[in-house]
Amino acid sequence: QVRLAESGGRLVQAGGSLRLSCAASGDTVGRKVMAWFRQAPGKDREFVAAISWGGLATYYTDSVKGRFTISRDNAANTVSLQMKDLQPEDTAIYYCAARRDASWTALVQEQLYLDWGQGTQVTVSS
């Protein structure tokens, strides 16, 4: 089991940028697909982005393509989400999640991610 801790969330104005970080401990994330999800107030948690264990493949939900970039540093056991051109609809709690394997399928299904962080709040003001 891997323990995940997100950081970097804060209040930012529309059009601004943020970089979220996810630090893993307890187990390496080196052979696991990692992802970011988010949950806006009153809404279900939704998939944002995923990255393959080697970092060569990424996948994004349509609403963040071209604005968000997911990356990882397996040596440092971290995953990051660089966000630019933030909009009020990006306001949410952002969660880091880990699969238990390297399978690059069904990436948006949160049930397949078994380890989760506590989340970090991102608020975008208009």
Side-chain angles (χ1 to χ4, degrees):
Q1 182 179 1
V2 60
R3 292 182 294 276
L4 304 172
E6 303 92 337
S7 62
R10 61 177 176 86
L11 174 65
V12 63
Q13 289 188 332
S17 299
L18 276 180
R19 184 178 181 87
L20 304 183
S21 294
C22 174
S25 61
D27 190 10
T28 178
V29 297
R31 287 280 180 176
K32 300 178 174 64
V33 169
M34 300 294 295
W36 288 91
F37 286 75
R38 67 185 179 186
Q39 187 167 21
K43 295 187 177 180
D44 293 333
R45 188 157 55 186
E46 66 171 354
F47 170 84
V48 176
I51 187 165
S52 63
W53 73 267
L56 296 181
T58 57
Y59 181 73
Y60 299 91
T61 192
D62 286 346
S63 62
V64 308
K65 284 181 182 177
R67 300 188 299 123
F68 291 13
T69 302
I70 188 172
S71 61
R72 67 190 299 163
D73 183 341
N74 288 339
N77 233 13
T78 59
V79 179
S80 298
L81 185 68
Q82 179 68 48
M83 306 183 293
K84 65 179 182 179
D85 192 24
L86 285 160
Q87 300 301 314
E89 52 266 34
D90 295 315
T91 294
I93 299 174
Y94 283 72
Y95 298 91
C96 178
R99 297 267 290 251
R100 289 287 173 88
D101 54 37
S103 177
W104 194 245
T105 59
L107 298 174
V108 305
Q109 293 188 15
E110 65 173 273
Q111 303 93 318
L112 299 179
Y113 294 83
L114 300 183
D115 297 307
W116 293 81
Q118 293 300 306
T120 185
Q121 176 71 50
V122 173
T123 303
V124 184
S125 64
S126 58

